[in-house]
Amino acid sequence: MKRLGCKIIQGKLEKELKEKTESFIMKGNRAPSLAVILVGSDPASETYVRNKHEACSRLGFLHFDYRFDEDVKEDDLLALIDELNGRADVDGILVQLPLPKHIDEKKITNSISVEKDVDGFSPFNVGRLCLGEECFIPCTPKGVVEILKYYDIPTAGKKVVVIGRSNIVGKPMAMLLMQKGFDATVTVCNTRTPSLKDYTLDADIIIVATGRPGTLGSSMCRNDAVIIDVGVNRIEDKSRERGYRLVGDVDYHSFEDTECQVTPVPGGVGLMTVMMLMENTFESANRRKK
Ligand code: NAP
């Protein structure tokens, strides 16, 4: 098996983006800036927000963090987003998902101004992605494309299977790879797909985003397939100080004796997602500069 580690790609992209940011600021522009809104104290969300915060600091971006208790009113969040939409010193706005049940997630994400929707979740951005027009590409699918590029894995004419059809990963992933320029033949599977194996056994590239550990093992793949594991799952592990370990949606070890190329978890797609958020924030700052 070849491990498609992403730390090296993250390092390369971060260095490039840092240089771009320095030159952007040297030309008299304000540093790119990201506002992050976190509701409640879900440990995974806290970690994701911390990672974004740290990436902003490393790159020289400004970041504004807003924290709310679990019982925050929807109207208070909408009022903050409205204020951030109007602020000239904010380039990107991100609401960390999931939100508590009493809050309408769709209403919140749709209230973010299209020009500051650096997550690329708004209907406008999704529509433009579908049409193959310039837009903020959702960070995780954009990161997957960077992995394929870095490791010289072609997509044109290849059979790609995406397992999972969520609005933030599966659907935009499929949409992106079917565009002109990527030119893959894409199949998207879901929980009603009767036998995943019927599709995965024939695939050149398999992208797994189900949130279920063990969704894909080597017996379901060709011996030379490329496997991109988007999943991040916390599994109880008493041998670790923190009481858990992270695993993907793929049975990584089952690939050890194959010729497959597989992204690890951790050290894989997750690193790319944060970098792509930073790239989208830079892009927003660049588009909005005076
Ligand atoms: P989601 O909204 O829960 O969607 C999961 C999708 O997988 C659904 O479409 C579901 O099908 C499908 N699915 C679940 N089990 C399946 C199975 N056995 N066979 C076929 N399809 C199956 O999840 P998500 O937000 O896309 O996230 C997926 C995973 O990626 C999670 O582990 C999440 O933590 C991780 N993630 C990682 C990053 C990163 O940066 N690395 C970013 C985002 C998400 P139905 O539609 O039929 O229910």
Side-chain angles (χ1 to χ4, degrees):
M1 172 180 75
K2 177 176 173 192
R3 178 183 188 274
L4 301 177
C6 296
K7 188 98 194 124
I8 187 164
I9 317 176
Q10 181 210 19
K12 174 181 171 281
L13 295 179
E14 191 167 301
K15 185 170 173 285
E16 288 167 5
L17 187 54
K18 194 161 186 237
E19 284 165 8
K20 256 178 27 181
T21 304
E22 281 163 5
S23 129
F24 184 71
I25 296 170
M26 289 270 284
K27 285 183 189 141
N29 297 299
R30 175 182 48 70
S33 73
L34 178 68
V36 178
I37 302 171
L38 172 63
V39 178
S41 53
D42 171 59
S45 293
E46 299 244 14
T47 306
Y48 294 140
V49 167
R50 194 170 50 248
N51 291 345
K52 289 163 189 170
H53 186 111
E54 287 171 4
C56 281
S57 301
R58 290 197 303 273
L59 288 162
F61 287 16
L62 299 171
H63 48 83
F64 308 108
D65 291 339
Y66 297 89
R67 300 196 63 138
F68 291 90
D69 290 336
E70 192 81 23
D71 60 356
V72 62
K73 290 199 182 73
E74 191 174 277
D75 283 348
D76 291 342
L77 288 179
L78 291 170
L80 171 64
I81 293 170
D82 192 42
E83 181 207 318
L84 295 170
N85 282 340
R87 266 175 53 180
D89 63 338
V90 172
D91 299 311
I93 305 171
L94 179 146
V95 179
Q96 186 63 49
L97 302 178
L99 289 169
K101 293 220 162 23
H102 68 282
I103 307 239
D104 183 345
E105 223 165 73
K106 214 163 150 190
K107 197 166 166 188
I108 296 291
T109 49
N110 288 356
S111 71
I112 297 172
S113 129
V114 167
E115 293 103 67
K116 299 188 180 185
D117 173 33
V118 285
D119 253 340
F121 293 165
S122 71
F124 182 84
N125 263 309
V126 175
R128 289 186 71 96
L129 177 65
C130 244
L131 296 170
E133 292 173 6
E134 191 186 71
C135 62
F136 288 122
I137 297 169
C139 303
T140 302
K142 184 171 171 161
V144 169
V145 164
E146 286 295 333
I147 300 171
L148 298 174
K149 264 199 232 162
Y150 180 84
Y151 284 107
D152 275 331
I153 297 163
T155 53
K158 300 296 176 188
K159 291 180 195 153
V160 174
V161 169
V162 179
I163 312 179
R165 58 175 164 184
S166 73
N167 290 336
I168 61 172
V169 186
K171 277 186 205 156
M173 187 77 252
M175 203 56 72
L176 196 55
L177 292 179
M178 72 169 74
Q179 297 291 353
K180 270 204 186 309
F182 293 111
D183 304 308
T185 304
V186 185
T187 304
V188 184
C189 301
N190 58 66
T191 49
R192 305 297 297 271
T193 304
S195 169
L196 283 179
K197 217 173 162 175
D198 291 349
Y199 303 90
T200 55
L201 266 179
D202 198 28
D204 299 293
I205 301 171
I206 307 167
I207 300 165
V208 193
T210 59
R212 300 197 189 173
T215 301
L216 187 83
S218 61
S219 63
M220 299 165 74
C221 308
R222 262 175 24 199
N223 196 41
D224 60 351
V226 173
I227 318 291
I228 306 289
D229 190 354
V230 176
V232 180
N233 307 288
R234 287 180 177 216
I235 298 283
E236 192 181 287
D237 185 345
K238 296 219 165 79
S239 70
R240 308 273 172 115
E241 201 181 316
R242 57 188 182 181
Y244 68 89
R245 70 193 149 89
L246 293 181
V247 298
D249 293 342
V250 169
D251 181 1
Y252 185 81
H253 296 294
S254 72
F255 287 90
E256 266 158 13
D257 295 328
T258 69
E259 305 285 307
C260 292
Q261 304 184 66
V262 190
T263 60
V265 177
V269 176
L271 295 173
M272 302 306 298
T273 299
V274 179
M275 267 319 294
M276 296 303 112
L277 175 68
M278 298 299 125
E279 289 205 345
N280 281 353
T281 303
F282 180 87
E283 199 176 308
S284 173
N286 197 29
R287 283 185 202 162
R288 299 178 64 258
K289 73 179 179 219
K290 292 259 156 55

